[in-house]
Amino acid sequence: METGSPPGAGTTGDETAEPAWIGLPPGLLRMRRLLLVVWLGLLTLALGLLLGLFAGPAWAAFALLPPALTAWGWVLLGRNWRSWRYAERADDLLISRGVLWREETVVPYGRMQLVEVTSGPVERHFGLASVQLHTAAAATDATIPGLDPAEAERLRDRLTELGEARSAGL
């Protein structure tokens, strides 16, 4: 995680100041890399076995393609993980992601309709959860993946509280 202000701290009232960005925990990167190695490892074994049995040992060399993809994917997953970050500001939540195509989503607290915490079986095994934000406009729905469950619940409660306070004024 990036250092700076504690979670939940926004700017100091000056909206032109750089927000306090929070990166994703390393558990998400570990999970994604493990899944990459497991799936491409199984593909390597199956491809090598099938090509060796049915096409001959020379063709089994094509089983070296998945390990090359694993090495490339390992690097890409690290770059993607480092690109994800979020920041809580006074009036909205910022979510930034992307390596080649940077995408920054701004979700105003007053527009949030539903904030949910989800965690599938693999995420639960790694102690991770995701926060899904739903707004009236489907284009501004956003997700923050791979958070610690306590941080995901804290963020859900804070965003729900801020959303209710801001929407009361609409």
Side-chain angles (χ1 to χ4, degrees):
M1 287 175 98
E2 294 181 13
T3 58
S5 300
T11 59
T12 58
D14 180 13
E15 290 302 320
T16 60
E18 181 69 21
W21 290 101
I22 302 168
L24 298 182
L28 178 66
L29 180 60
R30 281 193 299 272
M31 179 190 75
R32 288 181 175 174
R33 283 182 169 169
L34 179 65
L35 290 173
L36 174 77
V37 169
V38 166
W39 286 111
L40 287 179
L42 290 173
L43 180 64
T44 300
L45 288 173
L47 189 62
L49 196 64
L50 291 173
L51 286 174
L53 287 174
F54 296 114
W59 287 94
F62 281 105
L64 295 176
L65 289 176
L69 287 174
T70 302
W72 185 50
W74 189 275
V75 172
L76 291 181
L77 285 173
R79 290 183 67 196
N80 179 268
W81 172 76
R82 282 189 300 276
S83 76
W84 277 85
R85 58 191 186 155
Y86 66 97
E88 299 173 59
R89 295 194 307 183
D91 295 320
D92 49 33
L93 177 74
L94 299 175
I95 302 171
S96 179
R97 64 193 167 280
V99 177
L100 292 177
W101 286 272
R102 300 281 308 153
E103 185 175 332
E104 191 166 293
T105 304
V106 180
V107 184
Y109 297 134
R111 300 293 181 171
M112 289 184 202
Q113 293 184 329
L114 175 67
V115 181
E116 54 185 354
V117 174
T118 60
S119 185
V122 176
E123 285 179 309
R124 280 194 308 274
H125 178 75
F126 283 89
L128 300 172
S130 297
V131 174
Q132 175 76 39
L133 309 164
H134 299 278
T135 63
T140 58
D141 285 359
T143 302
I144 304 173
L147 296 174
D148 294 319
E151 170 64 6
E153 290 176 13
R154 183 206 65 82
L155 191 58
R156 178 200 58 209
D157 294 343
R158 176 166 164 71
L159 295 175
T160 301
E161 178 184 311
L162 289 168
E164 289 172 355
R166 297 295 193 280
S167 66
L170 294 177

